[in-house]
């Protein structure tokens, strides 16, 4: 029977202070007899929520009315084509999740035991999982302070004869400096994979994230910039790689005979109904991205004079899509990140902490014991994201900012 890997805070020693406290309980306190408009406003502001006001219902009803509810059907092709074109790619392969998209890429690259893939330690666990699923080993790199992305200056020191790929993550929607990554990859003959799960519509030097390496993985989980409820897509401009991913996604049925398998395949197909939602969402993607950028600009302008709060960066060559509007709570702020979360939750405002680095995860801790990644550790200790949905109103953002300021005093 499978047993969980336990890791106590005592075992972590001084690193225990990096690990976020328990999730605060969200509270709303609307007085029974509201006496002002402000009382009526005391509803929960979630950290993220989808916006489904386009053609979603119409397209899904079309699937139901025509009986095309599984993974065959026109919406799969339409979604794959429209989304992959939007991110500058000739090929898109829709699948069940962003994690599955990463897994399919790693499998299609032929990774296996003995291989290594360089990833940032500051990421969502799926980046590491996808490497581990193949039997290869994730090799970790620290983050840099400005964009919170992988510190590209530290990659080459981690390259060994076993390294097969670099998997970058466009963290929270800020693009990685891909020219630098591709140059390193060319020098060492490595594949470049983009984990673009959080970066729909983000631009690097005017080019879309998701089109800048050998292949990219997007997530369409409900908190992503566009959603299919659950879902993902591999995008690529490499026909051979794309065809292998397409084959692997569907049990690796071969073209010449249906029940004839030349690879270990996966059952990772998206349904036509999910793709119907995805198509409707893709139609609105530009709007969602510009709302997110406007919301971020408003947050930054309202928060910039708050001492001890670091707001997200945008490099001159980048268009950040602010999947999540993250801030760092510095010592100067006066209370800790965890205390700020508690106080915001008591005002009905939901937040999330930044990622817990891979080297501090119970499941990976023994593999990286003794390795330290000070920037990622500091991001984990100080980072939180504020409500970030595309559909946030100006008043909601103002309410969050007022609450952040009130929590300090
Ligand atoms: C960076 C990153 N990679 C991969 C994933 C996995 O995507 P999914 O939840 O669709 O499997 C996520 C999801 O949040 C993510 O943030």
């Amino acid at each position: 029977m499978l047993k969980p890997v336990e890791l106590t805070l005592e075992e972590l020693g001084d690193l225990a202070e990096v690990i976020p406290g328990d999730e605060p309980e969200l509270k709303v306190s609307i007085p029974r007899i509201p006496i002002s408009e402000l009382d009526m406003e005391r509803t929960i502001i979630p950290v993220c929520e989808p916006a489904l006001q386009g053609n979603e219902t119409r397209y899904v009803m079309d699937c139901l009315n025509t009986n095309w509810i599984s993974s065959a059907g026109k919406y799969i092709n339409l979604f794959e084509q429209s989304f992959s074109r939007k991110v500058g790619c000739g090929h898109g392969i829709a699948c069940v999740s962003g994690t599955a998209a990463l897994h399919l890429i790693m499998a299609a690259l032929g990774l296996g035991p003995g291989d290594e893939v360089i990833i940032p330690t500051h990421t969502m666990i799926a980046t590491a999982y996808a490497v581990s699923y193949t039997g290869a080993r994730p090799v970790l790199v620290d983050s840099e302070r400005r964009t919170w992305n992988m510190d590209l200056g530290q990659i080459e020191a981690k390259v060994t004869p076993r390294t097969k790929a670099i998997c970058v993550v466009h963290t929270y929607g800020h693009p990685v400096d891909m020219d630098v990554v591709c140059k390193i990859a060319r020098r060492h003959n490595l594949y470049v994979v983009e984990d673009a799960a959080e970066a729909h519509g983000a631009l690097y030097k005017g080019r879309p994230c998701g089109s800048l390496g050998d292949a990219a993985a997007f997530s369409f989980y409900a908190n992503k910039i566009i959603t299919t409820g659950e879902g993902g897509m591999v995008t690529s401009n490499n026909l051979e790689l794309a065809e292998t991913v397409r084959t692997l996604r569907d049990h690796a049925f071969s073209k010449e005979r249906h029940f004839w398998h030349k690879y270990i395949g996966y059952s990772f197909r998206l349904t036509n109904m999910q793709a119907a939602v995805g198509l409707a969402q893709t139609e609105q993607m530009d709007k969602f991205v510009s709302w997110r950028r406007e919301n971020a600009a408003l947050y930054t302008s309202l928060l910039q004079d708050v001492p001890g709060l670091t707001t997200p960066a945008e490099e001159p060559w980048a268009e950040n899509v602010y999947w999540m509007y993250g801030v760092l709570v510095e010592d100067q702020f006066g209370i800790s990140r965890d205390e700020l979360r508690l106080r915001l939750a008591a005002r009905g405002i939901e937040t999330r902490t930044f990622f817990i680095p891979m080297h501090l995860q119970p499941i990976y801790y023994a593999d990286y014991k003794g390795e330290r990644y000070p920037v990622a550790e500091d991001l984990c200790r100080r980072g939180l994201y504020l409500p970030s949905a595309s559909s946030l109103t100006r008043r909601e953002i103002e309410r969050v900012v007022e609450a952040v300021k009130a929590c300090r005093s």
Side-chain angles (χ1 to χ4, degrees):
M1 199 63 163
L2 187 63
K3 295 275 187 291
V5 176
E6 304 293 350
L7 176 63
T8 63
L9 292 182
E10 287 70 39
E11 282 172 83
L12 281 171
D14 61 343
L15 276 168
E17 61 156 18
V18 164
I19 307 298
D22 295 341
E23 279 303 307
E25 197 189 323
L26 272 176
K27 295 189 189 115
V28 260
S29 51
I30 304 180
R32 260 198 302 155
I33 308 172
I35 50 170
S36 74
E37 256 180 51
L38 266 182
D39 287 335
M40 296 303 292
E41 273 191 349
R42 284 191 206 162
T43 48
I44 285 177
I45 304 184
V47 78
C48 204
E49 59 184 341
L52 302 165
Q53 278 84 38
N55 285 319
E56 290 83 355
T57 311
R58 189 158 69 85
Y59 294 166
V60 172
M61 288 312 290
D62 185 31
C63 300
L64 292 170
N65 290 334
T66 56
N67 246 6
W68 288 94
I69 60 165
S70 80
S71 59
K74 68 178 181 190
Y75 288 104
I76 297 281
N77 286 341
L78 289 171
F79 177 41
E80 288 181 341
Q81 281 165 14
S82 68
F83 184 79
S84 57
R85 265 192 221 127
K86 244 199 168 2
V87 300
C89 281
H91 313 285
I93 303 98
C95 59
V96 291
S97 67
T99 310
L102 282 167
H103 188 175
L104 286 168
I105 295 170
M106 302 298 169
L109 292 178
L111 297 179
D115 294 335
E116 293 177 350
V117 178
I118 293 174
I119 67 166
T121 189
H122 175 70
T123 184
M124 194 260 179
I125 193 93
T127 322
Y129 279 166
V131 178
S132 299
Y133 293 152
T134 67
R137 174 181 153 82
V139 170
L140 307 180
V141 170
D142 204 359
S143 308
E144 46 103 354
R145 277 198 187 274
R146 231 182 99 70
T147 64
W148 311 330
N149 278 329
M150 180 151 68
D151 185 340
L152 306 184
Q154 297 190 29
I155 292 180
E156 280 196 292
K158 295 286 178 120
V159 174
T160 74
R162 294 178 293 282
T163 312
K164 292 292 181 310
I166 305 170
C167 180
V168 296
V169 181
H170 303 296
T171 313
Y172 306 142
H174 191 295
V176 169
D177 192 345
M178 291 303 291
D179 283 350
V180 175
V181 177
C182 292
K183 214 170 180 180
I184 296 170
R186 270 197 301 276
R187 211 161 26 235
H188 299 278
N189 198 23
L190 308 175
Y191 294 113
V192 174
V193 178
E194 295 173 80
D195 182 339
E198 305 171 353
H200 315 64
L203 298 178
Y204 170 70
K205 298 185 179 173
R207 290 181 289 147
C209 289
S211 67
L212 307 166
D214 293 288
F218 286 89
S219 165
F220 304 120
Y221 178 62
N223 69 7
K224 295 303 185 292
I225 293 179
I226 68 162
T227 183
T228 56
E230 300 283 351
M233 197 181 293
V234 175
T235 58
S236 179
N237 279 313
N238 178 327
L239 176 63
E240 190 190 347
L241 183 58
E243 288 204 330
T244 309
V245 167
R246 198 174 287 286
T247 303
L248 293 181
R249 170 185 69 175
D250 186 11
H251 293 294
F253 285 114
S254 59
K255 283 197 176 120
E256 62 264 44
R257 274 179 219 93
H258 191 66
F259 292 111
W260 189 250
H261 306 272
K262 302 179 192 173
Y263 308 100
I264 297 284
Y266 304 88
S267 182
F268 281 171
R269 298 169 306 254
L270 196 73
T271 67
N272 201 39
M273 291 181 292
Q274 290 168 299
V277 176
L279 177 65
Q281 288 273 292
T282 306
E283 290 166 355
Q284 302 164 84
M285 189 167 121
D286 293 345
K287 179 177 79 182
F288 292 155
V289 167
S290 69
W291 285 353
R292 257 163 148 114
R293 286 179 56 74
E294 282 164 26
N295 291 347
L298 181 59
Y299 263 133
T300 301
S301 71
L302 297 175
L303 287 170
Q304 65 187 357
D305 59 345
V306 180
L309 217 57
T310 301
T311 54
E314 184 175 61
E315 294 292 2
W317 40 260
E319 245 182 77
N320 189 348
V321 286
Y322 303 94
W323 166 59
M324 288 291 162
Y325 188 87
V327 295
L328 300 181
V329 182
E330 314 289 357
D331 294 343
Q332 243 191 313
F333 188 74
I335 59 170
S336 71
R337 185 271 315 273
D338 284 357
E339 184 57 35
L340 174 59
R341 290 194 75 211
L342 279 172
R343 294 186 190 183
L344 287 173
R347 290 170 160 83
I349 293 167
E350 193 183 25
T351 59
R352 282 272 182 291
T353 59
F354 276 20
F355 302 126
I356 300 178
M358 296 305 100
H359 65 288
L360 301 183
Q361 296 292 339
I363 192 64
Y364 285 122
Y365 185 67
D367 296 342
Y368 304 102
K369 204 161 179 190
E371 294 182 22
R372 293 296 301 261
Y373 299 94
V375 178
E377 289 161 15
D378 202 46
L379 295 177
C380 178
R381 185 151 58 109
R382 298 185 185 282
L384 64 81
Y385 29 93
L386 297 173
S388 301
S390 304
S391 56
L392 277 182
T393 62
R394 186 182 180 91
R395 182 64 205 127
E396 282 172 323
I397 293 173
E398 285 168 353
R399 222 189 97 194
V400 173
V401 172
E402 282 159 20
V404 168
K405 290 180 176 169
C407 288
R408 264 190 98 225
S409 43

